[in-house]
Amino acid sequence: GLDICGNNSVSPDGWSELRTLLESGVCELKQLRLKGNNYIGNEGLDVLSNGLRGIRSSLTVLNLSDNSIGNEGLLNVGETLQTCTGLETLDLSRNDFSSAAAGLGCLSNWLRRDEVNLQYLKLSYCRINDVGLHELFQGAANCEILDLDGNESITATGLSYLYSSIRSDRCRLETLDLRGIPVGDDGMEVLARGLADNRSVRNLYLEDLGDDISVTSAGWIAFSTALCDTSSVNNTYLSNHTFHKIDRGYDEEVDIVEEDDETVVLNLQLNMQHPQYAARCKILMKHPHLDMEPFLHCGLKFLPLAVAWFERSKPCTTLTIYDEDPDLRRLVLDESDEAFESRELTAMYEFVRGMPMEVMKRRKELIVAAYDNNDEIARIDERYREALEQRD
């Protein structure tokens, strides 16, 4: 790698020499760091651009932070990166992009290319505003970590553009850093709607900036709904079960929300500690009485699937979660084996009594087929015979 950091007062002639070296192709750089008080500026980047193109796909880390780069320079960066398809980390922090909408749009176009596989995009303290984020948002989610820390001009309006990118099927984001941004309740509601349909984001970094723009219970309620929508069993199942951490800048690893919002805390802990059971646990916790009527249109073919779902959900009664100390664990679902079996039998009974004539016609066929098939999903236990024979 090549590091030219600090206040080195490199002249345009110096950047020309570096450009010549990079253009020669004799050094296949993997890392190039030109951060901090080098004052490359738009003019220096114009000189360097051809050299950066010469590095091509070998470059994995490019750091141009704190170099007085504006819109013109960012446009040059966007054009230069067209050949840098192997780039993994791009740090453009502490440059002034307050009037760089066109440059951010060019960067977004590069990010959207199929061959680009960027992991970390750092745009902290770049004075990005809502207009700039509108130009960036389409490509912003095509990296694993997006750092927008310190861009205080971004409001809920700007976050609404980011919401569209987060809910896209192409979203690759795993960590979103929004510290120093006045998110507030409006912004939190926007993020919650985006995360409700997202399956990649796992970590969110926030920071309260004072009482006027802090997140209150209204914002956390929206977030709670994204993690566990209790309006129906299906909506609970379709909620977000991958997002698991909100960091608000305090010492605790999971300093999540206000102390009395235990629901959000519990759902995040479930997502983090038991991701394979999170959806089932939420359904069992929030829907003690499972309404089977929505499934009647599936016919009796749904019955063995329902039986198998309960069988796979049985471990939820023994799972434990913890806060900071793993030794202080508590049960996720404090329910006895008898209570769980009663819940299961009630659901099966209500399902079969919803189609009594079909059950009676196919009673023997169902039982024989269930016992002949060794596949777990198609297995119907003996204890359901009585339920199968019930009619109104």
Side-chain angles (χ1 to χ4, degrees), residues 103-314:
L104 290 167
C106 184
L107 180 62
S108 176
N109 291 336
W110 173 74
L111 286 166
R112 293 166 63 190
R113 294 177 59 183
D114 291 338
E115 61 268 35
V116 173
N117 191 34
L118 192 70
Q119 295 178 11
Y120 185 16
L121 177 58
K122 188 169 185 179
L123 294 170
S124 56
Y125 296 96
C126 286
R127 301 182 66 185
I128 296 174
N129 52 34
D130 291 344
V131 175
L133 195 54
H134 178 265
E135 297 301 316
L136 177 67
F137 83 92
Q138 289 187 333
N142 194 25
C143 60
E144 295 179 11
I145 303 173
L146 177 60
D147 185 351
L148 294 172
D149 182 11
N151 289 287
E152 298 180 358
S153 297
I154 294 176
T155 69
T157 300
L159 293 177
S160 68
Y161 305 136
L162 194 60
Y163 145 82
S164 301
S165 186
I166 291 175
R167 68 193 302 265
S168 167
D169 293 337
R170 293 171 55 89
C171 179
R172 295 176 49 233
L173 271 181
E174 295 183 8
T175 298
L176 180 58
D177 191 337
L178 300 178
R179 288 174 297 178
I181 293 177
V183 174
D185 288 339
D186 291 341
M188 203 63 170
E189 290 174 8
V190 167
L191 290 172
R193 291 200 303 272
L195 289 172
D197 298 322
N198 179 277
R199 296 296 177 267
S200 66
V201 179
R202 287 164 171 74
N203 309 294
L204 176 63
Y205 291 85
L206 298 173
E207 181 181 15
D208 283 344
L209 300 179
D211 294 337
D212 293 337
I213 48 179
S214 63
V215 179
T216 69
S217 58
W220 291 120
I221 288 172
F223 216 88
S224 178
T225 301
L227 294 172
C228 185
D229 186 344
T230 61
S231 59
S232 71
V233 172
N234 192 54
N235 286 342
T236 302
Y237 174 75
L238 295 175
S239 299
N240 188 306
H241 310 302
T242 54
F243 182 84
H244 60 232
K245 182 179 180 182
I246 299 176
D247 190 322
R248 297 173 68 193
Y250 302 118
D251 293 335
E252 295 84 351
E253 181 181 356
V254 186
D255 178 71
I256 299 168
V257 291
E258 299 177 7
E259 293 180 358
D260 59 345
D261 200 340
E262 297 180 358
T263 301
V264 175
V265 176
L266 175 59
N267 288 328
L268 288 173
Q269 290 172 329
L270 268 175
N271 290 356
M272 175 184 286
Q273 298 172 30
H274 303 291
Q276 70 274 38
Y277 290 108
R280 297 188 185 101
C281 287
K282 292 175 188 179
I283 290 173
L284 291 171
M285 288 189 301
K286 298 300 180 181
H287 303 278
H289 175 76
L290 291 177
D291 182 11
M292 304 301 287
E293 185 175 353
F295 306 107
L296 293 178
H297 72 279
C298 297
L300 288 175
K301 64 182 179 182
F302 179 78
L303 186 59
L305 298 176
V307 173
W309 186 88
F310 275 102
E311 290 296 323
R312 291 194 297 268
S313 301
K314 185 66 181 295

Side-chain angles (χ1 to χ4, degrees), residues 62-106:
L62 177 60
N63 189 327
L64 296 171
S65 62
D66 197 9
N67 277 296
S68 301
I69 299 171
N71 183 62
E72 184 180 342
L74 188 55
L75 283 168
N76 259 324
V77 171
E79 293 297 328
T80 299
L81 292 176
Q82 300 303 312
T83 60
C84 300
T85 54
L87 200 64
E88 297 175 358
T89 298
L90 176 60
D91 187 347
L92 296 169
S93 59
R94 297 186 182 279
N95 291 295
D96 187 355
F97 297 154
S98 58
S99 300
L104 290 167
C106 184

Side-chain angles (χ1 to χ4, degrees), residues 349-366:
Y349 172 71
E350 292 191 357
F351 181 78
V352 297
R353 73 190 287 251
M355 49 182 70
M357 297 307 298
E358 186 175 353
V359 170
M360 290 303 294
K361 289 177 182 178
R362 300 184 56 193
R363 177 180 56 187
K364 294 182 179 179
E365 175 188 342
L366 283 169

